[in-house]
Amino acid sequence: MTKIITITGDLGSGKSTVAQQLAEHLHFGYISTGMIQRDIASKYGMTTLELNKYAEDHPKIDDEIDGFIKKLAKAKKDIVVDSRLGWFFLDKSLKIYLMANVEVAATRIMSANKRKDEKYNSMEHAIQDITARRASEDFRFNGYYGADCQNLNNFDLVIDTTFASISDVFNTIIDNYTKWSQNESIVHCWLSPKNIYPTQNVVSLARDDAKEISNSIKEKGFQAPDPISVAEYKGYLFIVDGHKRVSASIFHNLALIPAKIVANEQNDFSWGISAKQFVQDHYKASWIYDWEDVHRFRFSRYFEQ
């Protein structure tokens, strides 16, 4: 049976680099709609952002790009598809989403400085453009197809690349791809412990059980069958259960830890409250600053209620 891996995600999350490495490692074919889109933009004499805006009122652009992707469902060769909507059209694929903070993503794109239409004169300019492009695409895809790219529950595997190396991301995908190809269950999310915000006072980490958890993670690593629980709200991730495990992972420099999303803006908690309400009730700036001081790092951005 033909195997297909679809990779999408945030701009600057490293999805193209990872997709190409996967294709090479697995000896799969490689398809990138980003390349197709840039070719079309060039043909129309537009930047990628301008093409996205143009496509909001001209469905033929999406038809041109997505018609090609739809045909891949009948491909006779194993392939890796780097596409914002590949997951939507290729339902039987392993659907992967790579996420990254917009500040980190902007830094990566500015440093790469490869794309003609992605050269920015400031970090603020880069962030504004990335945010605008994402909003334009999400609006178009949701309105045109009903494809909600912001709902991470639509994907089989979500990986936070904000503080993870390409090697960390690649190895995590390979491990989970192997399980998926053998019809084994996989952990939905792999997140950077330095990119998840606490919703408890850091004082709780002084308890004896926290020390036991830290020693266990130091000796055995983070056990995948025991993921932490998080809520996602406005692109931020908040700890619901697992503060001690996240803390220990930071102290022991783990790049990625297993997690499950138990609530987001599309899905409430099982007990009825919304992710928004949870954050309003449990997020305190003073706890964030104390968490940073104890763990000796700073978040790359701060949530504003």
Side-chain angles (χ1 to χ4, degrees):
M1 180 178 176
T2 302
K3 294 183 175 63
I4 301 176
I5 299 174
T6 52
I7 296 184
T8 187
D10 300 334
L11 293 165
S13 63
K15 56 187 181 297
S16 296
T17 300
V18 172
Q20 291 177 55
Q21 288 191 1
L22 282 173
E24 182 177 351
H25 177 81
L26 296 170
H27 303 291
F28 283 17
Y30 172 69
I31 304 293
S32 168
T33 52
M35 296 169 59
I36 298 171
Q37 189 178 30
R38 282 190 286 275
D39 287 343
I40 294 174
S42 178
K43 181 176 70 175
Y44 283 86
M46 301 178 181
T47 66
T48 306
L49 176 58
E50 289 169 342
L51 183 70
N52 282 334
K53 289 291 186 181
Y54 180 78
E56 290 180 5
D57 299 314
H58 298 81
K60 67 177 183 179
I61 301 298
D62 283 325
D63 291 339
E64 189 173 348
I65 298 171
D66 300 331
F68 179 82
I69 296 298
K70 292 176 184 178
K71 294 178 182 178
L72 296 178
K74 298 180 180 180
K76 296 182 179 180
K77 181 181 179 180
D78 298 334
I79 51 175
V80 175
V81 182
D82 173 10
S83 164
R84 284 297 306 274
L85 281 179
W87 65 273
F88 184 76
F89 294 122
L90 304 172
D91 186 57
K92 294 183 179 179
S93 63
L94 173 63
K95 306 173 189 67
I96 300 174
Y97 191 100
L98 301 185
M99 57 189 296
N101 287 355
V102 66
E103 293 82 359
V104 173
T107 299
R108 289 173 179 169
I109 292 174
M110 290 184 70
S111 297
N113 200 30
K114 293 178 180 179
R115 297 177 184 172
K116 183 178 179 181
D117 61 339
E118 291 180 357
K119 293 184 179 180
Y120 306 107
N121 53 30
S122 68
M123 178 65 70
E124 182 180 359
H125 178 205
I127 291 173
Q128 288 176 346
D129 183 72
I130 291 170
T131 303
R133 285 177 57 183
R134 172 68 183 272
S136 173
E137 290 182 349
D138 286 344
F139 174 81
R140 192 167 80 253
F141 297 156
N142 213 340
Y144 195 39
Y145 295 113
D148 188 354
C149 298
Q150 294 190 54
N151 187 352
L152 298 181
N153 288 324
N154 284 327
F155 304 93
D156 301 309
L157 183 62
V158 177
I159 302 176
D160 179 6
T161 74
T162 303
F163 301 112
S165 67
I166 292 296
S167 176
D168 291 327
V169 176
F170 175 83
N171 290 333
T172 300
I173 292 176
I174 289 295
D175 289 344
N176 285 278
Y177 165 76
T178 300
K179 294 177 181 178
W180 174 81
S181 63
Q182 296 172 352
N183 295 316
E184 296 179 17
S185 61
I186 61 177
V187 175
H188 181 220
C189 291
W190 292 85
L191 307 176
S192 165
K194 291 184 178 181
N195 201 28
I196 316 171
Y197 297 80
T199 56
Q200 290 181 6
N201 193 312
V202 76
V203 171
S204 64
L205 301 178
R207 298 170 184 164
D208 289 340
D209 60 336
K211 296 177 183 178
E212 293 176 6
I213 291 171
S214 180
N215 289 335
S216 175
I217 288 178
K218 181 179 180 180
E219 294 175 7
K220 304 175 184 178
F222 202 119
Q223 301 303 300
D226 189 28
I228 65 166
S229 298
V230 301
E232 183 207 7
Y233 181 61
K234 291 188 175 181
Y236 291 80
L237 298 162
F238 302 89
I239 304 171
V240 176
D241 178 65
H243 282 80
K244 300 179 187 71
R245 284 171 287 162
V246 174
S247 174
S249 299
I250 294 173
F251 280 127
H252 297 304
N253 298 313
L254 300 190
L256 295 166
I257 60 175
K260 58 182 178 181
I261 298 174
V262 295
N264 57 20
E265 292 181 72
Q266 293 81 16
N267 303 283
D268 292 344
F269 283 90
S270 59
W271 57 86
I273 73 167
S274 66
K276 177 181 179 179
Q277 188 63 53
F278 175 82
V279 173
Q280 289 178 341
D281 292 345
H282 294 85
Y283 180 88
K284 292 185 180 181
S286 61
W287 290 354
I288 303 301
Y289 304 144
D290 290 344
W291 181 270
E292 291 177 322
D293 290 341
V294 167
H295 297 94
R296 298 179 181 178
F297 83 98
R298 292 288 179 267
F299 287 105
S300 61
R301 58 177 181 164
Y302 295 95
F303 175 73
E304 296 182 4
Q305 297 202 54

